[in-house]
PDB file of all heavy atoms in Angstrom:
ATOM      1  N   SER A 924      18.762  -0.872  -0.709  1.00  0.00           N
ATOM      2  CA  SER A 924      18.322  -1.867   0.218  1.00  0.00           C
ATOM      3  C   SER A 924      17.465  -1.339   1.289  1.00  0.00           C
ATOM      4  O   SER A 924      17.346  -1.911   2.413  1.00  0.00           O
ATOM      5  CB  SER A 924      19.617  -2.511   0.790  1.00  0.00           C
ATOM      6  OG  SER A 924      20.451  -1.486   1.227  1.00  0.00           O
ATOM      7  N   VAL A 925      16.758  -0.278   1.031  1.00  0.00           N
ATOM      8  CA  VAL A 925      15.941   0.394   1.985  1.00  0.00           C
ATOM      9  C   VAL A 925      14.951  -0.622   2.633  1.00  0.00           C
ATOM     10  O   VAL A 925      14.760  -0.648   3.862  1.00  0.00           O
ATOM     11  CB  VAL A 925      15.113   1.517   1.354  1.00  0.00           C
ATOM     12  CG1 VAL A 925      14.015   1.997   2.270  1.00  0.00           C
ATOM     13  CG2 VAL A 925      16.028   2.678   1.082  1.00  0.00           C
ATOM     14  N   SER A 926      14.381  -1.529   1.760  1.00  0.00           N
ATOM     15  CA  SER A 926      13.342  -2.345   2.295  1.00  0.00           C
ATOM     16  C   SER A 926      13.856  -3.321   3.366  1.00  0.00           C
ATOM     17  O   SER A 926      13.145  -3.723   4.244  1.00  0.00           O
ATOM     18  CB  SER A 926      12.652  -3.129   1.201  1.00  0.00           C
ATOM     19  OG  SER A 926      13.581  -4.004   0.581  1.00  0.00           O
ATOM     20  N   GLN A 927      15.144  -3.646   3.369  1.00  0.00           N
ATOM     21  CA  GLN A 927      15.618  -4.566   4.461  1.00  0.00           C
ATOM     22  C   GLN A 927      16.026  -3.783   5.704  1.00  0.00           C
ATOM     23  O   GLN A 927      16.201  -4.417   6.736  1.00  0.00           O
ATOM     24  CB  GLN A 927      16.863  -5.321   3.957  1.00  0.00           C
ATOM     25  CG  GLN A 927      16.514  -6.632   3.263  1.00  0.00           C
ATOM     26  CD  GLN A 927      16.384  -6.422   1.834  1.00  0.00           C
ATOM     27  OE1 GLN A 927      17.254  -5.861   1.153  1.00  0.00           O
ATOM     28  NE2 GLN A 927      15.268  -6.857   1.243  1.00  0.00           N
ATOM     29  N   THR A 928      16.249  -2.491   5.587  1.00  0.00           N
ATOM     30  CA  THR A 928      16.809  -1.790   6.769  1.00  0.00           C
ATOM     31  C   THR A 928      15.944  -0.618   7.213  1.00  0.00           C
ATOM     32  O   THR A 928      16.233  -0.015   8.219  1.00  0.00           O
ATOM     33  CB  THR A 928      18.150  -1.172   6.391  1.00  0.00           C
ATOM     34  OG1 THR A 928      18.020  -0.351   5.217  1.00  0.00           O
ATOM     35  CG2 THR A 928      19.190  -2.287   6.048  1.00  0.00           C
ATOM     36  N   ALA A 929      14.843  -0.337   6.481  1.00  0.00           N
ATOM     37  CA  ALA A 929      14.083   0.862   6.851  1.00  0.00           C
ATOM     38  C   ALA A 929      13.701   0.926   8.297  1.00  0.00           C
ATOM     39  O   ALA A 929      13.681   2.031   8.887  1.00  0.00           O
ATOM     40  CB  ALA A 929      12.805   0.917   5.918  1.00  0.00           C
ATOM     41  N   LEU A 930      13.363  -0.189   8.925  1.00  0.00           N
ATOM     42  CA  LEU A 930      12.829  -0.150  10.248  1.00  0.00           C
ATOM     43  C   LEU A 930      13.835  -0.683  11.281  1.00  0.00           C
ATOM     44  O   LEU A 930      13.511  -1.013  12.383  1.00  0.00           O
ATOM     45  CB  LEU A 930      11.522  -1.006  10.362  1.00  0.00           C
ATOM     46  CG  LEU A 930      10.335  -0.350   9.574  1.00  0.00           C
ATOM     47  CD1 LEU A 930       9.091  -1.253   9.682  1.00  0.00           C
ATOM     48  CD2 LEU A 930       9.987   1.026  10.176  1.00  0.00           C
ATOM     49  N   GLN A 931      15.145  -0.738  10.833  1.00  0.00           N
ATOM     50  CA  GLN A 931      16.136  -1.256  11.778  1.00  0.00           C
ATOM     51  C   GLN A 931      16.166  -0.401  13.083  1.00  0.00           C
ATOM     52  O   GLN A 931      16.092   0.861  12.984  1.00  0.00           O
ATOM     53  CB  GLN A 931      17.511  -1.223  11.150  1.00  0.00           C
ATOM     54  CG  GLN A 931      18.439  -2.298  11.673  1.00  0.00           C
ATOM     55  CD  GLN A 931      19.130  -2.965  10.532  1.00  0.00           C
ATOM     56  OE1 GLN A 931      19.849  -2.296   9.745  1.00  0.00           O
ATOM     57  NE2 GLN A 931      18.925  -4.298  10.390  1.00  0.00           N
ATOM     58  N   ARG A 952      10.966  -8.325   7.584  1.00  0.00           N
ATOM     59  CA  ARG A 952      11.696  -8.141   6.292  1.00  0.00           C
ATOM     60  C   ARG A 952      12.223  -6.762   6.181  1.00  0.00           C
ATOM     61  O   ARG A 952      13.168  -6.466   5.542  1.00  0.00           O
ATOM     62  CB  ARG A 952      10.731  -8.358   5.120  1.00  0.00           C
ATOM     63  CG  ARG A 952      11.007  -9.629   4.369  1.00  0.00           C
ATOM     64  CD  ARG A 952      10.307  -9.555   3.059  1.00  0.00           C
ATOM     65  NE  ARG A 952       9.396 -10.678   2.983  1.00  0.00           N
ATOM     66  CZ  ARG A 952       8.341 -10.688   2.208  1.00  0.00           C
ATOM     67  NH1 ARG A 952       8.003  -9.640   1.464  1.00  0.00           N
ATOM     68  NH2 ARG A 952       7.553 -11.747   2.141  1.00  0.00           N
ATOM     69  N   ALA A 953      11.561  -5.756   6.834  1.00  0.00           N
ATOM     70  CA  ALA A 953      12.024  -4.436   6.810  1.00  0.00           C
ATOM     71  C   ALA A 953      12.999  -4.144   7.936  1.00  0.00           C
ATOM     72  O   ALA A 953      13.344  -3.004   8.172  1.00  0.00           O
ATOM     73  CB  ALA A 953      10.857  -3.438   6.794  1.00  0.00           C
ATOM     74  N   GLY A 954      13.349  -5.146   8.692  1.00  0.00           N
ATOM     75  CA  GLY A 954      14.391  -4.985   9.741  1.00  0.00           C
ATOM     76  C   GLY A 954      13.854  -4.568  11.108  1.00  0.00           C
ATOM     77  O   GLY A 954      14.632  -4.268  11.988  1.00  0.00           O
TER      78      GLY A 954
END
Side-chain angles (χ1 to χ4, degrees):
S924 50
V925 168
S926 65
Q927 270 92 52
T928 56
L930 292 177
Q931 209 135 57
R952 251 198 240 154

